[in-house]
Amino acid sequence: MRILVIGGTWFLGRSIAERALGRGWAVTTFNRGRSGPNVEGVQPVHGDRTIPTDLHELARHGPWDAVIDTSSSELAPRDVLLATTALRDKAHRWVHISTVSVYQGWPHQPLTDTSPLLECPADADETYGYTGEDGSPTLYGFQKAGGERAVTDAFGDAAVFLRPGVILGPGEYVGRLPWWLGRAVRGGRIVAPAPAERRIQPVDVRDVAEFALDQAVSTSSGGYNLTHPEGITFADFVCKCLTVVDSAGIPVWVESDVLIEQGVRQWTELPLWRTHAGVWSVGSERAVVAGLRCRPLAETIRDTWAWLARDGRPVHHPRWAEHGIAPEKEAKILASL
């Protein structure tokens, strides 16, 4: 099996490359060479996927049985189209890492794999779409829907779309789980978003990687939601963070209306907290039937702490700074209760 991983040096892309090598596959990676070291054993090709001559040079290293694209999150649809057009005669399948944001109803409504998608043309530039007054739909969602269209136009029934909500685990560069672990280390009284029994559905990066590889050899097509079918309550999530760092911190469960009144930004200042009804109601039944296996999230938390203690933050990324409530703001909320 010969695959091309677009990306391949950090978090999901790196996990895919490592696991593909573990299966005995031949792996080519394509990236700009700026985000981390190459995985030992891959054939690295460096270039910019938005530059036609770089894509032409990449194509010379084919053909491949499948392409797994992990690096389109910041790209306009027309840039995805550029790559799929350049490589469609060099690969049999295209596994595209997308997002639940492509759905019209996210995050307000419960979703399935067949929920309607946002509309965006395959050749749209980075300005196509809009962000609604309440933060939904998002410009990002329109852009990613257009990226999916670009893949479909080139690969048809040989295209597969993996739509995770939140991916956590060792190597995370966004900073969601690392922030909660760091906050647990500081201890004391910790603002936590009520209700404590709310279930969240993040998935482990390693489980997403295995499923992506399975889809590279499958004959399936279409979209798969990648959310944890069992999930974890927020109470168990916070308590496990406290346990793995050996902290005596005490979660203080604060109602959402109080947090909103205090100006706490959802999704970022308290990572993984969002009040919209559908944000953690995304069904992954089709993926489970197709072989998605999700380890317990307690294991994800434990292994992420072990990675942080061993290696620390992998890549400097601007999204890391977005996450976490300032200590003085948290203290003010606690004092007001």
Side-chain angles (χ1 to χ4, degrees):
M1 183 74 177
R2 299 187 72 232
I3 66 166
L4 166 65
V5 180
I6 304 181
T9 59
W10 62 343
F11 201 36
L12 178 58
R14 188 173 192 87
S15 187
I16 288 171
E18 291 172 344
R19 282 163 172 71
L21 291 170
R23 295 186 182 199
W25 296 4
V27 181
T28 303
T29 58
F30 180 65
N31 53 69
R32 294 176 297 177
R34 300 176 184 174
S35 299
N38 295 308
V39 174
E40 185 176 352
V42 306
Q43 179 187 21
V45 180
H46 289 157
D48 188 326
R49 62 178 295 167
T50 66
I51 299 175
T53 53
D54 287 3
L55 289 169
H56 178 74
E57 175 60 26
L58 170 63
R60 293 180 56 248
H61 294 267
W64 300 278
D65 297 297
V67 174
I68 304 179
D69 186 359
T70 71
S71 74
S72 69
S73 63
E74 306 299 328
L75 296 178
R78 65 181 181 184
D79 293 322
V80 178
L81 183 63
L82 189 68
T84 57
T85 301
L87 299 175
R88 64 183 163 196
D89 294 330
K90 296 294 184 177
H92 297 299
R93 288 176 64 75
W94 189 287
V95 180
H96 194 72
I97 309 302
S98 187
T99 168
V100 293
S101 295
V102 299
Y103 288 113
Q104 293 178 19
W106 194 86
H108 298 287
Q109 303 168 8
L111 298 172
T112 71
D113 299 290
T114 60
S115 296
L117 305 180
L118 296 168
E119 293 290 338
C120 179
D123 59 352
D125 66 16
E126 63 279 0
T127 66
Y128 190 93
Y130 63 92
T131 297
E133 290 184 5
D134 65 348
S136 176
T138 63
L139 176 67
Y140 174 76
F142 280 104
Q143 293 280 301
K144 296 313 105 187
E148 289 195 10
R149 176 64 63 84
V151 177
T152 299
D153 285 355
F155 283 85
D157 289 340
V160 178
F161 305 102
L162 309 188
R163 299 173 182 142
V166 171
I167 304 176
L168 303 178
E172 184 199 337
Y173 62 87
V174 175
R176 295 183 177 107
L177 178 51
W179 182 83
W180 278 107
L181 288 165
R183 180 62 191 89
V185 169
R186 296 204 312 272
R189 298 172 74 218
I190 301 170
V191 167
E197 64 273 15
R198 176 190 283 121
R199 299 195 77 84
I200 58 177
Q201 301 176 285
V203 288
D204 191 290
V205 62
R206 296 163 292 185
D207 298 329
V208 176
E210 293 288 1
F211 189 74
L213 293 174
D214 290 345
Q215 290 308 303
V217 296
S218 174
T219 58
S220 67
S221 62
Y224 292 94
N225 295 334
L226 299 190
T227 54
H228 201 293
E230 298 171 3
I232 188 172
T233 67
F234 227 116
D236 286 345
F237 174 81
V238 173
C239 288
K240 185 61 180 179
C241 288
L242 291 166
T243 299
V244 299
V245 305
D246 194 22
S247 171
I250 302 171
V252 178
W253 297 96
V254 183
E255 295 297 332
S256 291
D257 57 351
V258 175
L259 294 173
I260 293 169
E261 200 174 275
Q262 293 285 342
V264 178
R265 293 191 307 275
Q266 297 188 44
W267 212 232
T268 53
E269 284 194 294
L270 287 179
L272 306 179
W273 166 62
R274 197 164 182 177
T275 59
H276 300 81
V279 68
W280 295 120
S281 296
V282 181
S284 56
E285 290 81 6
R286 185 171 189 247
V288 170
V289 170
L292 175 66
R293 298 293 178 266
C294 291
R295 70 197 66 207
L297 284 162
E299 183 179 328
T300 303
I301 296 167
R302 181 199 67 199
D303 292 350
T304 301
W305 176 242
W307 160 73
L308 284 168
R310 181 181 66 249
D311 299 330
R313 182 174 162 189
V315 177
H316 290 281
H317 193 280
R319 294 186 66 186
W320 188 285
E322 296 176 358
H323 292 90
I325 189 170
E328 57 273 16
K329 188 170 183 178
E330 182 181 28
K332 179 182 176 183
I333 294 170
L334 290 168
S336 72
L337 299 176

